[in-house]
Amino acid sequence: MTSGASTSGRVAGSGFVLGVLAASQFLMTLDSSVMNVSIRQVAADIGTTVTGIQTAITLYTLVMASLMITGGKIGAILGRRRAFSIGLLIYAAGSLTTALSPNLGVLLVGWSVLEGIGAALIMPAIVALVAVNFAPQRRAAAYGMIAAAGAIAVAAGPLIGGAVTTFASWRWVFVGEVVIAIGILAALRKVHDTPPAVRVHFDFVGAVLSVAGLSLLVFGVLRSGTWGFVKAKPGGPQLLGTSPVVWLVIGGLLVIYGFFLWEARVQRRGREPLIRPAMLRNSQLAGGLSMFFFQFFIQAGVFFTIPLFLSVVLELSALQTGVRLLPLSVALLAAAVGIPRLAPGARPRLIVRLGLLSMIAGILVLIGGISPGADAGIVTIPMVLMGLGIGALASQLGAITVSAVPDRQSAEVGGLQNTVSNLGASLGTALAGAVLISSLTTGLIHGVQASSDIPADVKTQATTQFAAGVPFISDSDLKAQLGKANVPPAQADAVLAANSDARLAALRTSLWVVALFAVAALFFTGLIPVKPIGRRQHDVATSSRANS
C-alpha cells in the first residue's frame, strides 16, 4: 500500500496516465462492435460466411470473459504494468494477424484467441493501475473516464467500422489497432506501478475451474439465440429433449460453484487463491458488481435493438447509423466526466439511481417512438437519456468496487468486474436477440394468418417454414426474395405489411424486456454506499495502513 504523500505526487501527471489507460480501454472494447456493420464484407473477403464471422466475434467474447479472473491474478503476481505490457503485445500480434488473415482459421487465431487473451490481461490491469496512480478523492472521476471510454467505443464502433470499410478496407481497422497499441506501449513507462508485495504460487487448479465454468456459462448464453434457451429450436441440436443451452448454463454454474469451494479450500490452507470468496460477502463490492452486470446488460440490449431499427427498418447506411448513435457518446462522456468534477460530494447511491431512471426513461421513449412512419430523429432524445444514465453509472461504479477492498486486491476486483460486465453484455445481447426473433416469428405468423390476400395453402406452408424462426430483414431484401420466388404482387404486399408490423412489435417487445431488467436493477441499489467515494476510499486506505 502506498502512502498518501506518494499518491499525491503521482497525481501530478495523472492527465497523461488517464489518457493512456482510457485509450487502452477504448481499444479493448472496440473489437466487440467495430465489425458488426461490416460482417458481410469481411466474410466475402476471406471466403467464409456471415455465420463464420459471427463465430469469431462470439469466440472473442468467450475467450476474454473466461480468462478475466485468471488475467487479474496474473497481474497481481507479475505486476500490473508488466501484465499490461504482455497483454498489449499479445493483443497487437492478434490485430496484425487479423489484418493479414487470408481465411477464417487465421482470423479466429488472431481476432478471437490472441486478442481475447491480450484483453484478459489488460482490462483487469487497467482497474488496478487506476488505483495505483490516482489519489482516493480523484478515483471516481478517473474510473468514470475509463468506463466512458469503453462505452463510447461500443457506440462509436459501428461508425468507425462503417467508415473505414466504406472508404478503404476493414483490414485497416486492425492495422490501426496495432499502431495504437504500439503508441500505448511506448507511453506505458510513465504509468506508475507498485511491485507485487510477495511472490505467490499460482493456483492452476482454480484457473482451470474458472476458465471451464465461465466458458460453459458464456458459451451457453451466446448460443441461446441460435439453439433456444430451454426448448430447442426446430432443426437445432437437442439433449434429452431440451436445448443444449440449459445444460451448458447449469454445467457452467456447477463448475463455478466448485471453483468457489476450491478457492475457499486453498485459502484455508494458507495459500494464495485466485480470488477470495469472502470478498463477495462484502455488500459494497456485491452492489458494485451487480450494477456492472445490469449496466452492461441494458447497454448491450439497447445497442442490439437500435442499430437494427436504424439499419434494417429505416435502411440507413452504416455511417448514418453510427451518426445517429453519437448523441449517446457525447452525453455519456459529459456525465461520466462532469458528475465527479461538478459534484464530487454527491452520494453514489443517488447518482446510480438517477442514472438507472434516466436509462429507463430513454428506453420508454424509444418504445413509444418506434412506430409506423417513424424516422431516425426519434432516437436522438432516447440516446441522450441513455448516455446520461450510462455516464452516471460509469462515474461511480469503478470507484465503488475498488474502494470496497484494499488496493492490493484491486487486480482481483478488476478480474471480477470485467467478468460480470462481459456476462451482462453477453446475456443482454442474447436475451434481446432471442425475444426479438421469437416475437417477430409469432407476429409474422399471426399477420400472415390474418391476411385475406394470402391463400389458405400458402398460409399453412408459411406457418411451417416460419416456425424455425424468421430473419430480421429489411423491406428491400424481403421484396427481392419474394420476387425471386415469383410470389404474386398482392400476396407479396401482404407479407411485406405483416413483416413490417411484426418487426416494430418485436423491437418494442425486446426493449420492454430490457426496461424490465433496468427496473429490477433499482432493487439492488440499496447495496451501493451513500458516503462519497473519495472519502470512503480514504478511510479504507487509512485503515489498511494502520493494519499493515
Side-chain angles (χ1 to χ4, degrees):
M1 181 71 64
T2 56
S3 68
S6 63
T7 302
S8 298
R10 289 196 301 275
V11 172
S14 60
F16 180 82
V17 171
L18 183 58
V20 171
L21 297 178
S24 304
Q25 184 73 31
F26 183 91
L27 184 62
M28 296 302 101
T29 312
L30 188 65
D31 267 2
S32 64
S33 65
V34 70
M35 285 292 103
N36 284 348
V37 296
S38 308
I39 289 177
R40 282 186 172 82
Q41 293 90 329
V42 178
D45 200 12
I46 64 173
T48 187
T49 62
V50 169
T51 302
I53 304 304
Q54 290 173 332
T55 299
I57 297 173
T58 299
L59 186 58
Y60 171 72
T61 302
L62 177 65
V63 171
M64 182 171 56
S66 62
L67 291 175
M68 280 295 175
I69 292 176
T70 302
K73 195 61 180 182
I74 290 174
I77 293 172
L78 297 180
R80 285 78 172 178
R81 192 171 66 182
R82 181 180 297 177
F84 190 107
S85 300
I86 294 171
L88 203 58
L89 288 171
I90 296 173
Y91 191 91
S95 296
L96 183 60
T97 301
T98 305
L100 300 175
S101 57
N103 53 52
L104 179 60
V106 176
L107 184 84
L108 289 172
V109 171
W111 189 358
S112 306
V113 178
L114 292 178
E115 289 195 24
I117 292 172
L121 287 170
I122 293 169
M123 295 177 76
I126 291 174
V127 176
L129 287 171
V130 169
V132 171
N133 284 270
F134 291 86
Q137 64 270 21
R138 296 196 58 187
R139 286 182 193 165
Y143 282 119
M145 186 64 184
I146 297 296
I152 288 172
V154 176
L159 179 61
I160 295 171
V164 175
T165 302
T166 300
F167 298 113
S169 166
W170 62 270
R171 296 180 185 272
W172 287 104
V173 172
F174 295 95
V175 172
E177 289 186 351
V178 175
V179 174
I180 295 172
I182 292 172
I184 294 172
L185 194 61
L188 200 58
R189 66 181 185 277
K190 294 186 178 294
V191 177
H192 185 84
D193 192 16
T194 53
V198 292
R199 190 171 184 85
V200 298
H201 176 73
F202 183 71
D203 179 15
F204 285 101
V205 175
V208 170
L209 289 172
S210 71
V211 171
L214 289 169
S215 294
L216 289 170
L217 179 60
V218 175
F219 182 68
V221 168
L222 291 172
R223 297 302 297 173
S224 60
T226 304
W227 293 344
F229 277 101
V230 178
K231 182 180 178 181
K233 290 192 173 182
Q238 295 186 25
L239 183 60
L240 300 180
T242 59
S243 168
V245 168
V246 68
W247 298 104
L248 288 168
V249 171
I250 290 173
L253 290 173
L254 287 174
V255 175
I256 292 171
Y257 177 70
F259 163 72
F260 281 112
L261 291 179
W262 172 262
E263 293 303 288
R265 180 174 180 269
V266 168
Q267 193 169 6
R268 283 197 306 269
R269 293 190 169 191
R271 297 167 63 189
E272 184 72 13
L274 278 183
I275 64 169
R276 293 164 178 80
M279 289 171 57
L280 298 180
R281 292 195 290 271
N282 182 317
S283 61
Q284 179 180 328
L285 179 60
L289 292 176
S290 65
M291 286 302 106
F292 267 112
F293 174 85
F294 281 110
Q295 177 195 327
F296 279 81
F297 181 100
I298 298 163
Q299 182 177 304
V302 170
F303 277 126
F304 177 83
T305 53
I306 298 312
L308 285 178
F309 172 70
L310 295 172
S311 63
V312 177
V313 177
L314 301 184
E315 300 192 42
L316 300 185
S317 67
L319 281 174
Q320 292 170 324
T321 299
V323 168
R324 289 296 177 178
L325 296 177
L326 284 180
L328 182 145
S329 299
V330 174
L332 192 158
L333 185 61
V337 177
I339 291 173
R341 181 170 297 179
L342 300 176
R347 292 177 292 168
R349 186 181 298 174
L350 176 62
I351 297 299
V352 169
R353 284 175 174 170
L354 290 175
L356 286 171
L357 289 173
S358 181
M359 295 166 76
I360 293 169
I363 297 171
L364 294 178
V365 174
L366 274 172
I367 292 171
I370 293 178
S371 58
D375 59 25
I378 65 104
V379 306
T380 302
I381 292 177
M383 288 299 96
V384 170
L385 290 171
M386 284 295 303
L388 291 174
I390 296 172
L393 268 65
S395 72
Q396 305 296 314
L397 296 186
I400 286 171
T401 55
V402 174
S403 69
V405 299
D407 281 2
R408 64 178 179 273
Q409 296 177 6
S410 57
E412 296 174 42
V413 171
L416 286 170
Q417 178 178 303
N418 284 291
T419 297
V420 298
S421 296
N422 277 283
L423 284 173
S426 300
L427 187 58
T429 302
L431 187 58
V435 170
L436 182 88
I437 297 302
S438 176
S439 177
L440 175 64
T441 302
T442 302
L444 184 54
I445 290 175
H446 176 76
V448 168
Q449 291 293 333
S451 175
S452 59
D453 294 319
I454 300 177
D457 59 330
V458 176
K459 291 180 180 180
T460 302
Q461 183 181 1
T463 300
T464 302
Q465 292 179 344
F466 293 162
V470 178
F472 197 90
I473 59 175
S474 66
D475 286 342
S476 297
D477 289 342
L478 180 57
K479 189 179 295 184
Q481 290 184 15
L482 293 172
K484 289 180 182 178
N486 296 317
V487 176
Q491 295 181 27
D493 291 342
V495 172
L496 281 167
N499 185 65
S500 179
D501 292 340
R503 270 188 330 214
L504 295 178
L507 286 169
R508 287 195 293 267
T509 302
S510 187
L511 285 170
W512 273 119
V513 172
V514 177
L516 181 64
F517 272 80
V519 173
L522 288 169
F523 289 88
F524 292 82
T525 55
L527 297 173
I528 301 298
V530 176
K531 198 176 204 179
I533 298 301
R535 192 183 310 161
R536 188 177 184 91
Q537 283 193 298
H538 181 267
D539 293 344
V540 171
T542 302
S543 175
S544 179
R545 286 197 297 272
N547 295 328
S548 61

